[in-house]
Amino acid sequence: MLRVILSNMNISLYSLEKKSSISHSTLSDIYNEKINIDKCSILTIKNIASSLNMSIDELYEILSYKKLCYITFDREFDLYKSEICHEYKRLRDSNFLKKYLLNMEIENLINSKEYDKALYLLSFIDYICLKNNLPFVKKYEDIRKRKLNKLYVSESIFLLLKNKQINITKIFNECRKEFLIHNIVESEVENVI
């Protein structure tokens, strides 16, 4: 969960290391969830919390998955993602790109303040470009720098996190990076049923 906190605060692990005076190996283990937060010393948790301007209790609740304040799900957004994946399955690469680049859907979504959908569609377009060794669409450079204020996951992943049946490291390792840079968890773009 430290990974999600740092991402949302735009703080690098290196910066936290310098600010907290905690060793790289200890922070890396916490960041990669190789160590249970209950095994950390109170001094380590205190130094991290202080460096992040958080209380010890707040940090502990987040790192122990008791408080999922940096993670969210939205059923409407999940439905949109499913529709886009099915549309992609139907159209495939070139026709999907033609449709969504010509109809200015991303711009329309931005103008409607539907940033989650706009960033998802842009991530999908970037995914197709990478897959086919095509350059990114330059007109979206400004939008490409944005990210959502919380990590968007599906409802099923949210419930798995809440019940501690999966961890953030596993999710991040399985997620497509084109989506993750915008705080969207997506791994199944081609395997929709």
Side-chain angles (χ1 to χ4, degrees):
M1 265 314 209
L2 183 59
R3 180 187 305 243
V4 175
I5 296 169
L6 295 181
S7 174
N8 280 22
M9 293 182 165
N10 288 320
I11 299 171
S12 70
L13 189 59
Y14 177 77
S15 295
L16 180 60
E17 182 182 331
K18 294 299 174 203
K19 193 171 183 181
S20 68
S21 300
I22 297 172
S23 73
H24 175 77
S25 61
T26 299
L27 275 178
S28 181
D29 285 349
I30 296 168
Y31 183 87
N32 291 306
E33 298 180 321
K34 292 181 178 177
I35 186 171
N36 185 322
I37 196 63
D38 294 325
K39 304 282 186 203
C40 292
S41 74
I42 191 68
L43 183 60
T44 297
I45 296 171
K46 177 185 172 288
N47 286 347
I48 295 171
S50 175
S51 298
L52 298 174
N53 297 320
M54 301 172 90
S55 72
I56 294 171
D57 290 340
E58 181 182 18
L59 178 65
Y60 177 78
E61 286 183 345
I62 295 169
L63 294 180
S64 62
Y65 289 78
K66 291 178 181 159
K67 186 176 178 185
L68 299 176
C69 59
Y70 289 100
I71 300 172
T72 191
F73 73 90
D74 179 307
R75 287 185 184 104
E76 183 183 328
F77 181 56
D78 280 352
L79 180 61
Y80 178 79
K81 288 172 31 179
S82 177
E83 289 170 0
I84 293 297
C85 288
H86 281 90
E87 186 74 355
Y88 171 70
K89 185 177 183 178
R90 188 178 67 75
L91 294 175
R92 300 313 300 162
D93 294 343
S94 60
N95 288 330
F96 185 92
L97 288 176
K98 285 178 194 169
K99 176 179 180 176
Y100 286 103
L101 293 176
L102 292 176
N103 73 4
M104 298 182 57
E105 182 73 13
I106 293 173
E107 293 87 345
N108 294 336
L109 290 167
I110 292 288
N111 291 336
S112 301
K113 297 187 180 353
E114 295 183 86
Y115 302 115
D116 53 352
K117 294 175 182 175
L119 291 173
Y120 183 80
L121 187 54
L122 175 59
S123 299
F124 216 114
I125 288 169
D126 287 351
Y127 162 75
I128 294 169
C129 289
L130 283 170
K131 178 182 163 193
N132 292 286
N133 294 318
L134 298 171
F136 283 165
V137 181
K138 289 185 193 264
K139 71 179 177 177
Y140 297 130
E141 287 303 317
D142 286 344
I143 299 169
R144 198 171 275 113
K145 295 174 188 170
R146 296 183 185 188
K147 71 179 185 177
L148 300 170
N149 62 351
K150 290 189 176 189
L151 183 67
Y152 275 61
V153 299
S154 67
E155 183 175 13
S156 60
I157 290 177
F158 187 85
L159 293 173
L160 289 171
L161 286 166
K162 189 174 183 175
N163 294 318
K164 300 178 186 171
Q165 295 175 316
I166 194 170
N167 64 36
I168 288 296
T169 300
K170 181 168 176 50
I171 291 169
F172 275 44
N173 288 341
E174 295 176 1
C175 183
R176 303 276 334 156
K177 304 304 180 224
E178 305 83 38
F179 295 85
L180 194 55
I181 61 171
H182 301 295
N183 266 350
I184 300 169
V185 170
E186 179 62 87
S187 59
E188 296 294 321
V189 293
E190 302 225 20
N191 298 328
V192 294
I193 299 171

